[in-house]
Amino acid sequence: MLQRQKRWLYIAVPIFFFWFFGQIDKVGISVIQTDPEFLNALGMTGEDKNAKIGLLSFVFTIAYGISNLFWGFIIDKLGARKTAIAGLCVWTLTMISSGLATSYEMFLVSRIILGFGEGMMIPVSGKFISAWFNRRELGRAQASWLTGNYLGPALGAIVLVLVISALHWQAAFFMLAAFNLFINIPMFIFLTRNTPEEHPGVSQEELAFIRQEDDEEKEVKSAENKSFAQDYRFWIVWFGMLVCSFLFFGISIWLPTYLMEAKGFEREGMTSITSLSWLFALGFVVTCGILADKTRRPSLMATILFAMTAVLLTIAVFAPNPVAAGVCMGLAMGCQGGVFHLSNMLIIKYSTPETAGRAAGLMGFTNIMGGFSSYIMGWLRDLSGGDFSTSIAMLIFAAILGLGAYVFTIKKESTELHLTPLPAQKVNA
């Protein structure tokens, strides 16, 4: 049995750690920015300090979103393996330069370069998953790396707080560089290949299973996936991801600050709820991965998650208890983690292995909205004297937009489900 499951070792494991450490790199700034020594060292003080803090995530996500576009084409030409190694080298160097930064401007430049380096993460993952897994196990395959996407920050928040408390904020960046240099890069070099056909460790039996459904549904795939850009549902998912990025980054980047400054939590309490919020996201990812494969209703599930997000954010505004408000914010963030997972599933559904890199790159561009969200929330806080109410109201409106977009996909999804009933269970490969 293990001989027929090598794809989970060769691909799922490296991608898990790829996202585990990559997400700590990406969102760890939300924890680091609560350290007064870090803020003072880089000049993030004064009346516009929140706008300056928000600008760090803004420039990162702008670079991250834009770079997704060209990374998608590069991956389709060079392959996911070489692209992943190149991107890992870039962001390892930027982690080192971030730790050595002595001014706000220098740190800002390092965040821009980091955004370009990490911009290949979604296209690389989409390309690997599309090439290495049977289409009936896409939900579980996506969940395997999205688990790292949320487990990384959940544990990383605790580790970063401990490192900053015991050493210095600079040590946190050097530690993250070491993770990439000694764990991520070697994994991609020694374990992965672009396709299972290229890997000497993949048996013919496993390869036959991976390609089995492709042969059975060749005509269907040709009709539905040849040009993903002509499928209106792809663009609805794309718009939904714009909203999802706006919500997810807005909540995750500002959550630690919200807990400490708006709800009066000490650092230990902030760390606990922040970690719990990322575990909520992980729970939604795993649950959505299982339910999406079983029900084949990802669009309906995404619609429900947007509705839940709007409700939870509204409760957070009016909840008198700080813990209840913090947990509701965390659950809202978790719902968007589920939307992100479902969206990545739909990317692969509407594309082919040959176009998966471009489709995922175009979808990854939506992360640009996270930058606008983090910056606008900081700007609104400065205008309102540090209050979060206006910012959260903006997030509620965004969740309603996402809900409205996905409603238009439900009917066609239901029709397709009735035309193509759930397949009978097959013997495991």
Side-chain angles (χ1 to χ4, degrees):
M1 179 64 70
L2 292 178
Q3 289 298 319
R4 294 175 289 174
Q5 302 289 340
K6 290 294 185 69
R7 60 194 179 280
W8 297 98
L9 170 63
Y10 296 143
I11 299 300
V13 171
I15 291 181
F16 168 82
F17 285 103
F18 186 47
W19 282 86
F20 182 89
F21 295 120
Q23 279 300 95
I24 301 177
D25 291 353
K26 191 184 303 179
V27 302
I29 189 66
S30 67
V31 173
I32 297 172
Q33 72 189 25
T34 64
D35 180 45
E37 189 175 350
F38 168 73
L39 299 177
N40 291 329
L42 298 184
M44 285 178 278
T45 57
E47 294 182 356
D48 63 343
K49 78 167 189 175
N50 291 302
K52 285 184 175 180
I53 293 172
L55 187 60
L56 294 178
S57 295
F58 176 75
V59 297
F60 168 83
T61 51
I62 293 295
Y64 184 87
I66 292 174
S67 67
N68 267 267
L69 296 177
F70 70 79
W71 277 123
F73 286 96
I74 291 174
I75 289 168
D76 285 336
K77 296 293 184 181
L78 298 183
R81 181 170 175 259
K82 289 182 179 178
T83 305
I85 294 170
L88 283 165
C89 290
V90 171
W91 98 47
T92 299
L93 292 175
T94 58
M95 285 293 102
I96 296 173
S97 65
S98 296
L100 297 175
T102 56
S103 67
Y104 178 75
E105 292 74 19
M106 183 177 175
F107 191 83
L108 201 66
V109 170
S110 73
R111 298 302 293 179
I112 295 173
I113 299 174
L114 177 65
F116 278 108
E118 290 195 355
M120 49 76 198
M121 293 180 71
I122 293 177
V124 161
S125 302
K127 190 74 169 180
F128 271 129
I129 296 296
S130 181
W132 274 81
F133 291 90
N134 184 285
R135 295 182 74 83
R136 291 179 184 173
E137 57 186 4
L138 292 182
R140 283 167 289 162
Q142 290 281 17
S144 69
W145 64 267
L146 286 170
T147 298
N149 188 42
Y150 301 110
L151 187 59
L155 299 180
I158 299 172
V159 173
L160 288 173
V161 168
L162 292 175
V163 170
I164 293 171
S165 300
L167 299 172
H168 194 269
W169 64 266
Q170 294 170 314
F173 289 103
F174 298 145
M175 175 190 69
L176 294 174
F179 286 151
N180 283 329
L181 186 61
F182 298 109
I183 298 177
N184 274 340
I185 293 177
M187 277 194 167
F188 276 93
I189 291 175
F190 297 110
L191 289 181
T192 68
R193 297 294 185 274
N194 289 327
T195 64
E197 286 86 353
E198 299 175 19
H199 205 298
V202 176
S203 67
Q204 288 300 312
E205 187 177 7
E206 182 172 7
L207 180 60
F209 172 75
I210 293 171
R211 300 298 179 223
Q212 180 180 5
E213 193 172 12
D214 287 356
D215 293 333
E216 293 176 355
E217 299 185 354
K218 187 175 181 180
E219 293 183 2
V220 175
K221 287 173 58 185
S222 177
E224 292 189 354
N225 298 328
K226 188 173 183 179
S227 180
F228 64 86
Q230 295 176 359
D231 192 329
Y232 78 92
R233 293 172 300 173
F234 175 87
W235 295 107
I236 289 178
V237 175
W238 187 82
F239 177 78
M241 271 297 292
L242 282 176
V243 176
C244 177
S245 297
F246 191 87
L247 287 164
F248 190 84
F249 277 93
I251 298 173
S252 64
I253 294 297
W254 283 103
L255 181 60
T257 304
Y258 167 80
L259 294 172
M260 294 182 70
E261 297 187 8
K263 295 303 176 182
F265 284 91
E266 297 295 332
R267 185 172 293 273
E268 292 77 10
M270 176 275 289
T271 304
S272 298
I273 292 184
T274 299
S275 296
L276 183 63
S277 300
W278 286 100
L279 291 176
F280 285 152
L282 174 60
F284 277 101
V285 165
V286 174
T287 302
C288 288
I290 296 171
L291 292 179
D293 281 344
K294 288 183 177 297
T295 67
R296 292 166 59 190
R297 297 299 304 269
S299 294
L300 175 61
M301 292 168 62
T303 306
I304 294 172
L305 290 174
F306 272 120
M308 290 175 60
T309 300
V311 172
L312 288 165
L313 289 173
T314 302
I315 295 174
V317 172
F318 296 103
N321 185 282
V323 175
V327 169
C328 283
M329 290 289 287
L331 285 170
M333 190 178 92
C335 287
Q336 290 308 300
V339 173
F340 180 71
H341 171 52
L342 295 170
S343 299
N344 279 278
M345 276 188 63
L346 291 169
I347 292 171
I348 298 177
K349 177 181 178 181
Y350 300 143
S351 64
T352 65
E354 291 74 26
T355 61
R358 277 165 282 173
L362 187 60
M363 194 65 70
F365 175 76
T366 61
N367 281 276
I368 199 170
M369 291 303 294
F372 285 101
S373 177
S374 60
Y375 181 74
I376 293 172
M377 287 184 69
W379 176 69
L380 288 175
R381 284 199 68 210
D382 287 333
L383 287 181
S384 58
D387 186 67
F388 273 94
S389 298
T390 307
S391 299
I392 296 176
M394 175 184 67
L395 297 179
I396 294 171
F397 178 73
I400 294 172
L401 288 178
L403 167 64
Y406 264 98
V407 164
F408 292 100
T409 66
I410 295 176
K411 184 177 180 180
K412 186 167 184 178
E413 182 180 72
S414 177
T415 301
E416 289 179 343
L417 185 62
H418 285 91
L419 292 175
T420 56
L422 292 171
Q425 294 294 321
K426 293 188 175 185
V427 178
N428 290 333

